[in-house]
Structures are given as C-alpha cells and as structure tokens.
Amino acid sequence: MELKLEDVDDLCTGAAFLGAGGGGDPYIGGLMVKEELMAGRRIEILDPDHLPDDDLVIPTAMMGAPTVLLEKIPSGEEPILALRAVEAALGRKAAATMPTEVGGINSTIPLFVGARLGVPVVDADGQGRAFPELQMETFAIEGVAGTPLGIADEKGDFATIRTEDNHRMEWIARGITIRMGGTAYFANYPMSGAEVKRASVKHTLSLARSIGRIIRTSRREKHDPFEELEAFIATTSYGRAKRIFSGKVVDLDRQTSRGFTLGAVTIAPDSGTGAHCTITFQNENLCAKADGALLAVVPDIITVLDAETAVPITNETLRYGQRVAVVAVGVPPIMRTPAALKQFGPEAFGLEEAYVPLAG
Amino acid sequence: MELKLEDVDDLCTGAAFLGAGGGGDPYIGGLMVKEELMAGRRIEILDPDHLPDDDLVIPTAMMGAPTVLLEKIPSGEEPILALRAVEAALGRKAAATMPTEVGGINSTIPLFVGARLGVPVVDADGQGRAFPELQMETFAIEGVAGTPLGIADEKGDFATIRTEDNHRMEWIARGITIRMGGTAYFANYPMSGAEVKRASVKHTLSLARSIGRIIRTSRREKHDPFEELEAFIATTSYGRAKRIFSGKVVDLDRQTSRGFTLGAVTIAPDSGTGAHCTITFQNENLCAKADGALLAVVPDIITVLDAETAVPITNETLRYGQRVAVVAVGVPPIMRTPAALKQFGPEAFGLEEAYVPLAG
C-alpha cells in the first residue's frame, strides 16, 4: 500500500492518540513526511505478512524529551545516519525500516527514512503504542537482540552501542541522548522478516491512520467522535476503548529531567464537584486515578483528548483550563502476557498498582 | 627497548608524579602489567623516531573518576575491546598502541594492551602529564581527528563515537562513562606514524621510569630526592622542577561529580604559622596558591609528594594530617604554545589566573 499525502494528517492524529500523551508531537514528523511526498518520493507501507523471511529490517525512531523536540528541529539526516551505523556494524544493507513505536512522532520517522532511502516501511511496531524506554519492546520480549544500536544528532555526530542487555542499551543510549542535547535519533533491534512476523504488534500504522480518520470525519459529520472511536477499536485486536473521565485541567506539574518529561496532570470534573482525576506520566501517561480509585494503568493506553473535537493533547501541550476527555484503550494479547507486563506493566515503572485490564 | 619486570614499579611511581594528583593511581595498572610479564608476554617500548610513517597507531586509555577506579577493578579486556571498535570503524589493524596521557594509570593501560596484542607501545603521549578531558591533547592541537573513538566497560558493553568536534567527543564519551558506572576504557586519535612524530610529547614513558627510579634510589642512597628530581628534570625538555611548599594537610574537600573527582586541598606550613597553600583540582591539580599569591598553574605540573620519601600522593589517597611537599614542574615547549594553552591552559579550566611559567 502506498502512503498518500492526504493520509499523513490522519496517521499523525492517530499516532498522537496511541502516543498516550507522550511519544512526541507527530506534527513535526508529519511535515517532514509531507515534504518528501510533495518532492515526488514514494512511501510504501508493507504488510508484515508479505515480508520475505530473510529480509533485514532495521527500525528507526527518535528518543528523548518531547518538550525538547519542539525547540530542536531535526535536520532529517539523523535517523538515516543512525540506520547507516547499524548497517555498518552488521556489514549488510536494510531491505526495509519500521517503527519501534507507533505512538507519537515515532510513527513518522520511519516513513521519512523509507521515502529518502527508497525502502518500504513495515506496517507494525514493537510497542503498539508509545513507551518511554528502549527495552519496552515486544521485539525484546520475543528475544530479538537490541543492538547494534546506532544513535545520531542534528550536528552529524553519531555513535554505535553494543551490549547484550537491553536495559543497559537504554541506559547508555539515554545518557548519549542527554549529552546530544535532550533528543536523538536511533536505529536498533535489527531483525529478519521472520522475526518481525513473530515479535511485532502488526498493522499499527494502519490502525493509527484509521483512528485519525475517525476523529477527523466524525467532527465533519457531526457524529460523537468518542462513540465512533469505541465502536471502531472494538473491531481491532485492541478490543476496548472507554471514556474514563471528562473535565477541566486544574493542575499541571511537568519537568524535563533524566532525559524524560515527567509529571502529573489533575483534571476537575465537569460537574464542578466530586473526585478529581490525576494522571501521572513519564513521557507517556502511566496511571489514571480518581479519588484513589484506579481508572486505568499501563500497558493500557491513557490519552487526553479535546472534549469537543477528540483531537489528542500530548503532555507537552497540556495547559491549565483545557476542557478535556480522558480515554483509555486496552492492548492486544501480545502486550498483556506475563513477560510483556514485566517489560512495560505497572511494576516496570515503579508503580504499586497491579495491572487491571480495562473494564467494560 | 623491552620493558622489564623491575621497571614497572619505577614507571608507575613516575606516572603518578606526572599525573599531577590525578590520572588514577597507577598501582592497579602496574599489577596488570606485571602479570602479563610474569606470564611470559613481552612489552616492546618503541622510540617514536623509529616508527614507520605509514603505521597505524591507536592510543588506549581509561577515563572517569579515579575515586571510582579503586572499587571497580577492570577485567583487562576493556581497552582491547575499545581498540577493536576503532579498528572495525577504520577497517584496519593497529600496528602499535600508545598512551593518550603519561600521567597516572594511563601510562600502564597501553602497556597491558601491547602485551596482550603483541604490538609495540610508542614511547610518547599526547598530554606530557595527565589532564582530565579528551580534547586536551597535543594530538588535537596538531590537527589529528579524535574519532572514531571506541569506549568499553567491564561488562563487555562498548560503543563507538564519530564527531568532528573534539569537545563533543569528550562530552559524549563522558556521558557514556558516567552511564558505564563512572569509569570506562577508550581508544581514540588513531593516527599514522608520521602524525605521532609531529603531534606527540616524546619519550614520556622513559621519563616516567627515570623519575620513579630517582625517587626509589635516592631514598635507598640517603640522597635528598627533591634535589635529585630537580637536577634530573633540568636535563629534560620539561626543564624546571621546584619544591613550592611543604607542610601538613589540614583541609580536604573532595567530591565525585560530573564524572570527575573535584575539590581542593589545604596545606598548613611546617612552621605552624604563615600562609596556607591551597590546591584546587579537577582529577588533576590545577592551581596552587599561598595567601592569594600564585605558586603554579596548569599546564605546569603540580604534584603532592610524601615529605620524607618523595612518593607521589594522588588526590584520591590524600588524607588529613599527611606531611607533604608540593613540587611544580614546567612543561615542554609543545605544551606552552598559544594553541596548547587554549586547550589546557588556565582558561580552559575556567580559572581567572593567567599562565605564568614556573619561575626559577
């Protein structure tokens, strides 16, 4: 399937939704992708089920604090430099690229790389949403080695990391990202087509585009976008979506620290009285509670949307006084296994809450 | 010239002297080198003037906080892994290794590498002493590219950095070092034999061995080691050494921060009254003052020695109450050019003092 210019905005909206408040605003990435298409380059979205088993696939992405991304615009060459570093370490060229995460700007980075290099982009990723750390990947859970990892910045500096431990890969790459100014671009988990089929969350670029299209068209057609989203997601492997809170942003604690955007947002109910909803985040929203009661928790997706338009609001653009709705979405079975919960369930984020899959 | 087992302790003592309080205690490195020699391996010290112009030389070293080194013993494979990473990036094998700095443990790391790999160790370095940062090299001043840089830790993790800016090389490698636990091993400034001849401080391993021998034998022969050192150094390219203070350590402020050992030591005079001497350090001693008057400043070497034996005391082993003598040593002309002072003169360390070469 070829990605068309008119698909890009929908894909970005859906990626922001799946970004769970983090993942970086896809707006900048979307602009970069549109420029490529307008310059006549093609972007081929490849169904993972059609990928030859022996093909080498090298995922590409950005990392760091989304708040920094807004002020540190990429040159466009960074993820290509990162991919080239992995190719050099392996002594082999990539036949395709793909997202490491579908949420946020990282749905768009591999599209840009695919356009520039003339290789297809696999319609799958390793997070099925956005997560803040590099070991939080279904790729890792399924035994794919994280390194060689290539990492590059807008100055043209780059580095290659080799380690057998994905937590140390994350730890060292995060240290480099901080030194590169708070954001960097990377390529890791190089794998075969057969491994992509086994270890990825499939068809998530298509999912993002569909979610974005629903938010856009329901507004135009005066349908309730929240109802439409719930109905659509019920037909996917994610299974369930639910509006868990509505109200006004009344408090916001947001810091850029340790290479992440960290904090919490508090939302007062529409009624003016009753329990407030508090959502904590490490780039992505981790846990939503009201009066101490758990509403939703990772790996389920918690996204804050504009109360009227259902346009997703990423954490770096949250502001006091915004009228918002909070939507939670369940995740596919591959993301809820005991091994998956160990990588990116509540305990992996230091939360005390047990994982309770989103109730109906 | 072949390095003999009986030379190792002298070389380490001299390296500690040239380490200017930093550079890491060469004791651990000396043990590693002695083990290699006792296992029957040879260490060839090669005069840089005899090095073929086309030979590839890859210097090897450790970096990080010397205070951490004491508790994080290297496995021995780290600097070899770092050198291999540079070889892989260049697609070429090293014909020799050499020190990046002759002061402290970094005089011994390339000896170990040379023994293990069966390649000679060039009798020269890029600092003529120890300095805390990677861009502070005569190699850099003479236009040798700092990267590809390989960096490795005791877990077998390693990374390769490419940048055209030596300050960014230092900045990124230091970030990785912190993430690797505070110490790491690296190889950088790969260069030709011709470049070594032009860009290095020559015969500094021999210098370290001679200084160590003088300290050892003057004690045995009941000569004044300080007078002997001054007389010997007057015959070298360093030109001048001088005892600038004697007394007792009465205050010590020492922290491990930003990947360095930072602080200051205060020494009360032997007489009990009069000006105290304060020496500030960033791994290495930077500036010695008494009552606000400058006694010595970088790039001149400031070393604290045991008042009786003239054995050098590195900053991580300084203790309250020690009886010490402070010796300052001038540096060779290649280290005092305007370009050299820009790299590692007082201003490079944020000091307000102008460089005043050691007075007679």
Side-chain angles (χ1 to χ4, degrees):
Chain A
M1 182 190 78
E2 198 175 328
L3 187 77
K4 299 292 180 198
L5 193 60
E6 57 268 27
D7 296 329
V8 177
D9 284 338
D10 286 344
L11 195 150
C12 288
T13 302
F17 181 93
L18 295 170
D25 190 324
Y27 176 74
I28 292 166
L31 283 183
M32 289 166 66
V33 171
K34 284 195 243 180
E35 269 184 26
E36 292 302 304
L37 293 174
M38 287 188 287
R41 297 200 184 86
R42 294 181 65 253
I43 299 174
E44 173 71 19
I45 307 292
L46 182 65
D47 188 321
D49 295 331
H50 299 159
L51 189 65
D53 278 355
D54 292 335
D55 271 11
L56 173 63
V57 181
I58 303 181
T60 45
M62 70 84 64
M63 66 186 289
T67 38
V68 174
L69 180 69
L70 295 179
E71 298 175 5
K72 187 159 163 280
I73 307 295
S75 81
E77 287 302 307
E78 301 88 337
I80 295 170
L81 207 51
L83 179 136
R84 292 294 187 219
V86 175
E87 287 182 336
L90 296 174
R92 200 176 155 202
K93 289 276 178 193
T97 187
M98 68 183 286
T100 60
E101 66 180 339
V102 74
I105 189 172
N106 277 338
S107 60
T108 63
I109 299 293
L111 300 175
F112 176 87
V113 172
R116 277 285 174 94
L117 301 185
V119 297
V121 182
V122 182
D123 187 5
D125 77 303
Q127 299 192 331
R129 44 165 293 170
F131 282 122
E133 298 186 6
L134 306 191
Q135 79 281 3
M136 296 173 171
E137 291 280 339
T138 56
F139 307 151
I141 295 161
E142 298 294 326
V144 177
T147 72
L149 173 146
I151 182 167
D153 68 15
E154 73 292 349
K155 300 183 195 78
D157 298 343
F158 65 99
T160 313
I161 301 170
R162 299 293 286 249
T163 172
E164 288 174 12
D165 182 311
N166 289 329
H167 278 90
R168 291 208 299 270
M169 169 181 74
E170 156 66 27
W171 178 245
I172 295 169
R174 189 73 49 184
I176 294 175
T177 299
I178 293 168
R179 294 268 156 157
M180 284 181 166
T183 57
Y185 296 78
F186 67 98
N188 64 350
Y189 292 101
M191 65 191 125
S192 68
E195 286 175 310
V196 171
K197 289 173 200 174
R198 193 184 77 229
S200 67
V201 188
K202 292 181 184 177
H203 308 121
T204 45
L205 287 172
S206 296
L207 176 77
R209 195 187 53 165
S210 297
I211 289 173
R213 185 182 293 162
I214 287 165
I215 292 172
R216 174 172 55 84
T217 56
S218 60
R219 192 166 46 195
R220 195 181 58 199
E221 293 160 16
K222 301 194 196 311
H223 294 166
D224 179 339
F226 298 98
E227 281 178 16
E228 302 254 325
L229 279 171
E230 286 177 31
F232 167 69
I233 287 170
T235 70
T236 72
S237 62
Y238 287 66
R240 196 182 295 280
K242 186 182 168 191
R243 183 157 30 168
I244 55 173
F245 206 84
S246 294
K248 192 174 82 167
V249 174
V250 292
D251 195 27
L252 180 60
D253 168 24
R254 183 174 55 201
Q255 299 160 23
T256 300
S257 174
R258 298 189 288 118
F260 296 107
T261 303
L262 302 171
V265 58
T266 305
I267 303 162
D270 282 328
S271 60
T273 58
H276 287 42
C277 173
T278 298
I279 304 171
T280 53
F281 52 84
Q282 176 186 347
N283 285 9
E284 285 74 37
N285 297 321
L286 300 179
C287 185
K289 285 184 171 182
D291 245 1
L294 186 69
L295 300 178
V297 67
V298 281
D300 286 350
I301 299 166
I302 302 164
T303 296
V304 177
L305 308 162
D306 181 279
E308 290 260 315
T309 62
V311 169
I313 301 169
T314 57
N315 287 334
E316 67 269 28
T317 55
L318 276 174
R319 277 190 310 279
Y320 180 87
Q322 280 167 328
R323 294 270 168 198
V324 299
V326 184
V327 171
V329 182
V331 290
I334 191 177
M335 295 175 64
R336 286 185 269 123
T337 63
L341 291 177
K342 201 175 156 204
Q343 283 293 345
F344 43 62
E347 206 183 326
F349 293 95
L351 300 179
E352 288 174 7
E353 289 74 15
Y355 175 58
V356 181
L358 193 64
Chain B
M1 181 190 79
E2 198 174 328
L3 186 78
K4 299 291 179 198
L5 192 61
E6 57 268 28
D7 296 329
V8 177
D9 285 338
D10 286 344
L11 195 150
C12 288
T13 303
F17 181 92
L18 294 170
D25 190 324
Y27 177 72
I28 291 166
L31 282 184
M32 289 166 66
V33 171
K34 283 194 244 180
E35 268 184 26
E36 293 301 306
L37 293 173
M38 286 187 288
R41 297 198 185 87
R42 293 182 64 253
I43 299 175
E44 172 72 18
I45 307 292
L46 182 64
D47 189 321
D49 296 331
H50 298 160
L51 189 63
D53 279 355
D54 293 335
D55 272 11
L56 173 64
V57 182
I58 302 181
T60 44
M62 70 84 62
M63 66 186 290
T67 39
V68 174
L69 179 70
L70 295 179
E71 297 176 6
K72 187 160 164 279
I73 306 294
S75 82
E77 287 303 305
E78 302 89 336
I80 294 169
L81 206 53
L83 179 136
R84 293 294 189 219
V86 174
E87 287 182 337
L90 295 174
R92 202 176 153 201
K93 289 275 177 193
T97 187
M98 67 184 285
T100 60
E101 67 180 338
V102 74
I105 189 173
N106 276 339
S107 60
T108 63
I109 299 293
L111 300 174
F112 175 86
V113 172
R116 279 283 174 96
L117 301 184
V119 298
V121 182
V122 183
D123 187 5
D125 78 303
Q127 298 192 333
R129 46 166 289 171
F131 284 121
E133 299 185 6
L134 306 192
Q135 79 282 3
M136 296 174 172
E137 290 281 339
T138 57
F139 308 151
I141 295 160
E142 298 294 324
V144 177
T147 71
L149 173 147
I151 182 166
D153 68 16
E154 75 290 350
K155 300 183 196 78
D157 298 342
F158 65 100
T160 313
I161 301 170
R162 297 295 285 249
T163 170
E164 289 175 10
D165 182 312
N166 289 330
H167 278 90
R168 291 208 300 271
M169 169 181 74
E170 156 66 27
W171 179 244
I172 294 169
R174 189 74 50 185
I176 294 174
T177 300
I178 294 169
R179 293 269 155 156
M180 283 180 166
T183 57
Y185 296 77
F186 67 98
N188 65 349
Y189 293 100
M191 66 192 125
S192 69
E195 286 175 310
V196 171
K197 290 172 199 174
R198 194 186 76 228
S200 68
V201 189
K202 292 181 183 177
H203 306 120
T204 45
L205 286 172
S206 297
L207 176 78
R209 193 187 56 165
S210 297
I211 289 172
R213 184 181 294 162
I214 286 164
I215 292 171
R216 173 172 56 84
T217 56
S218 61
R219 191 167 46 195
R220 193 181 60 198
E221 292 159 17
K222 301 195 197 310
H223 293 167
D224 179 339
F226 298 98
E227 281 178 18
E228 301 253 328
L229 280 172
E230 287 177 29
F232 167 68
I233 287 169
T235 69
T236 72
S237 62
Y238 287 65
R240 195 182 295 280
K242 187 181 167 189
R243 180 156 34 166
I244 56 173
F245 206 85
S246 294
K248 192 175 83 167
V249 173
V250 292
D251 196 29
L252 180 60
D253 168 23
R254 184 175 54 200
Q255 300 159 23
T256 300
S257 173
R258 298 188 288 119
F260 297 107
T261 304
L262 302 171
V265 57
T266 304
I267 302 162
D270 282 328
S271 59
T273 58
H276 287 42
C277 173
T278 299
I279 305 171
T280 53
F281 51 84
Q282 175 186 349
N283 285 9
E284 285 73 38
N285 297 319
L286 301 179
C287 184
K289 285 182 170 183
D291 246 1
L294 186 70
L295 300 177
V297 67
V298 280
D300 286 351
I301 298 165
I302 302 165
T303 296
V304 178
L305 309 162
D306 181 278
E308 289 260 317
T309 62
V311 169
I313 301 169
T314 57
N315 287 333
E316 67 268 28
T317 55
L318 277 174
R319 278 191 309 279
Y320 180 88
Q322 279 167 328
R323 294 271 168 196
V324 299
V326 184
V327 171
V329 182
V331 289
I334 191 177
M335 295 176 64
R336 285 184 269 123
T337 63
L341 291 178
K342 203 175 155 205
Q343 283 294 347
F344 44 60
E347 208 184 324
F349 293 95
L351 301 179
E352 288 175 7
E353 289 74 15
Y355 174 58
V356 182
L358 194 64

